[in-house]
Amino acid sequence: MIHTSIAIFATFALCTSASSAAQAPGVSIELGERSSLTRPDGTFDYESADLQSVKIHNKYQQNFRNLVANGGNLPDGWELRELRTVPETMQKRASGSEPLIDEDHDTEWEGNIAIGTPGQTFLVDFDTGSGDLWVPSSACRDVNCLGKQKYNAALSSTSSRKNGTFTIRYADNSTVSGPIYTDSVTVAGLTAKDQYFSPVETLSKSFANGPVNGIVGLAYPGISRLRKDPFFTTLIKQGTVSAGVFAIKLATVGSTLFLGGTDTTKYTGDIEYHAVNSSASVWLTDGAKTVVGALNPNTGFQAIIDSGTKLMYGPPNAVQTFYAAIPGSAVYNAQRGYYSYPCHALPAIGFSWGGKTWEVTSGNFNLGATEVGGSQCVGTLVGHDFGFGPNVWLLGDSFMKNVYTAFSFDKNSVGFATLA
Ligand SMILES: *[C@@H]1O[C@H](CO)[C@@H](O)[C@H](O)[C@H]1NC(C)=O
Ligand SMILES: *[C@@H]1O[C@H](CO)[C@@H](O)[C@H](O)[C@H]1NC(C)=O
Ligand SMILES: *[C@@H]1O[C@H](CO)[C@@H](O)[C@H](O)[C@H]1NC(C)=O
């Protein structure tokens, strides 16, 4: 087994040991972590959390539009909504807390990719909840591109300009947009040739702070805004990976993305696979239920597994039902769907798809105290109506940190295993 690891993040020093092997049985890339929704004084960072919710709202509304534009139908009950914006004042307060790193509340996962020949390197987010790849362009004159890594097509012998433009709108109503290119894209020594992507010439303010330069979408082609195969689908079609499976471990230390299979050193026991409902071109599972102690407050719902979402969200009524099963829980903000619970008396919380219960640890469930030194904490499960209707939940990092997660295009399934 070839393990090509790209160490990144803490120092930004880049030690690539690129593998030249095609058809590798699987390679891994280390992911760095950053950003917190808990303030340094231990309290819940409401503004940052709310900015996240708006960002996720817009991401999925964009996904819905892409799905329709690609000739798909929105699943029953899913609705197109306006994209949302957040007030400038909240953006300021939220971004003020952005650079803080709290190792106990790591919430975003980044790794390196190289684009072009020779490779130009970018630190990006790997997002199982979207389908496109973009990075800043050397033609970006936007103030938000200052200090970013930028793609220069002229310096790549394999770059090719395509027709059209790419645009996505973010929560601050700014856009990420640019022309469309193909070029070679390499992650951990695996190269997707002629991969469609956009070197963006305007960059949303939401990316101005922090080290992330772009996004690699890892969902199905059906939600690609570029209407092209996402990076991992290209690897499969070009025969670069021997298995159409990638897997993610998110943790405070040793987070990895494994391409071309699963890394058996990272989990124990079998992987429990569940079929993906292909109706939405994301990693949508059917038949989930919640576990609170000995109770199952919610049953028979659908859940999207999304590494590009920090928290966990459910339909507002369902989330109310969930917290009602936790003794001492209270509404924290009814309109925004936040609840609190006694920090030190949380029952065992988890999710089940009919097999094991995949527990969310109390540490991963806790977004911080409601007030300095307070004994009530805000839970990472938030009630939010994204336009998914009454039966779809969104499980992001707060869930994924508790399990080893495999995403299989071969089986059209998502699998969970116990972390080693
Ligand atoms: C897939 O999802 C759609 C939309 O939510 C739903 O109508 C359908 O019943 C689901 N399929 C299965 C097999 O559960
Ligand atoms: C771009 O558009 C032009 C005019 O519509 C067309 O002739 C050309 O084939 C297109 N190129 C590509 C690469 O699609
Ligand atoms: C967002 O920007 C677009 C295009 O610049 C503009 O038409 C729209 O009114 C803006 N929306 C809000 C809420 O500011």
Side-chain angles (χ1 to χ4, degrees):
M1 184 159 302
I2 298 163
H3 282 256
T4 303
S5 109
I6 300 181
I8 45 136
F9 194 72
T11 59
F12 289 90
L14 194 67
C15 359
T16 39
S17 58
S19 157
S20 56
Q23 283 283 346
V27 295
S28 70
I29 176 175
E30 278 180 37
L31 304 178
E33 62 210 345
R34 73 174 183 99
S35 177
S36 169
L37 296 179
T38 306
R39 296 185 190 278
D41 64 7
T43 60
F44 171 54
D45 183 349
Y46 173 77
E47 284 81 8
S48 289
D50 223 43
L51 202 53
Q52 281 303 312
S53 302
V54 176
K55 185 176 150 192
I56 299 306
H57 171 93
N58 289 356
K59 168 170 137 171
Y60 276 92
Q61 283 297 322
Q62 186 69 65
N63 281 345
F64 291 7
R65 286 160 171 75
N66 299 346
L67 197 62
V68 172
N70 290 341
N73 292 314
L74 280 186
D76 284 349
W78 294 30
E79 289 172 13
L80 289 180
R81 301 267 174 83
E82 293 289 309
L83 298 186
R84 287 179 51 197
T85 59
V86 291
E88 186 88 19
T89 49
M90 179 173 281
Q91 289 170 37
K92 284 215 182 80
R93 291 170 67 189
S95 63
S97 65
E98 187 71 2
L100 298 173
I101 293 172
D102 176 343
E103 298 209 326
D104 292 325
H105 293 92
D106 34 42
T107 47
E108 226 173 283
W109 312 93
E110 302 135 7
N112 263 298
I113 64 168
I115 305 181
T117 312
Q120 304 173 30
T121 307
F122 301 88
L123 186 68
V124 295
D125 276 350
F126 288 96
D127 180 10
T128 63
S130 64
D132 296 299
L133 197 173
W134 62 261
V135 294
S137 161
S138 55
C140 181
R141 302 278 170 260
D142 202 313
V143 63
N144 298 320
C145 275
L146 284 174
K148 293 291 180 192
Q149 296 156 336
K150 300 183 189 82
Y151 172 80
N152 187 338
L155 298 181
S156 171
S157 63
T158 41
S159 93
S160 171
R161 172 86 192 249
K162 302 295 171 190
N163 282 349
T165 56
F166 170 81
T167 303
I168 30 181
R169 188 169 294 279
Y170 277 83
D172 54 8
N173 203 31
S174 61
T175 57
V176 166
S177 80
I180 298 169
Y181 275 78
T182 58
D183 207 335
S184 297
V185 176
T186 302
V187 177
L190 299 180
T191 299
K193 295 194 188 100
D194 303 319
Q195 174 64 48
Y196 273 81
F197 75 106
S198 178
V200 301
E201 297 179 357
T202 65
L203 187 62
S204 163
K205 201 163 36 175
S206 33
F207 290 90
N209 300 313
V212 171
N213 296 281
I215 307 271
V216 177
L218 294 170
Y220 285 79
I223 56 161
S224 163
R225 178 124 179 101
L226 293 170
R227 314 185 70 168
K228 298 293 176 186
D229 288 335
F231 167 73
F232 194 73
T233 304
T234 306
L235 287 185
I236 295 171
K237 287 194 178 168
Q238 293 178 351
T240 311
V241 283
S242 47
V245 180
F246 66 91
I248 296 178
K249 176 192 172 184
L250 301 181
T252 301
V253 177
S255 299
T256 58
L257 165 67
F258 194 83
L259 299 172
T262 59
D263 180 350
T264 53
T265 67
K266 297 282 191 268
Y267 62 94
T268 58
D270 291 334
I271 299 181
E272 183 187 292
Y273 277 103
H274 297 285
V276 165
N277 182 317
S278 58
S279 61
S281 289
V282 290
W283 297 96
L284 173 70
T285 58
D286 293 307
K289 62 185 174 192
T290 57
V291 176
V292 176
L295 308 173
N296 298 118
N298 315 91
T299 58
F301 58 87
Q302 298 184 304
I304 298 170
I305 313 300
D306 181 0
S307 67
T309 291
K310 296 186 185 216
L311 308 183
M312 310 191 297
Y313 297 94
N317 289 339
V319 169
Q320 184 179 31
T321 302
F322 176 90
Y323 281 100
I326 301 178
S329 67
V331 172
Y332 175 73
N333 181 316
Q335 198 200 348
R336 301 295 197 192
Y338 297 109
Y339 291 80
S340 72
Y341 63 93
C343 306
H344 300 295
L346 185 68
I349 297 289
F351 293 85
S352 163
W353 282 260
K356 279 188 184 164
T357 293
W358 303 102
E359 198 174 319
V360 177
T361 65
S362 56
N364 287 336
F365 194 76
N366 187 349
L367 288 182
T370 56
E371 57 189 15
V372 179
S375 62
Q376 286 286 114
C377 287
V378 177
T380 188
L381 175 64
V382 180
H384 197 101
D385 177 4
F386 290 109
F388 287 131
N391 203 39
V392 179
W393 296 45
L394 196 50
L395 304 184
D397 300 345
S398 303
F399 172 73
M400 289 181 66
K401 282 191 284 189
N402 305 280
V403 293
Y404 190 72
T405 313
F407 298 85
S408 174
F409 286 100
D410 290 348
K411 296 184 190 177
N412 281 323
S413 300
V414 180
F416 307 115
T418 304
L419 287 169

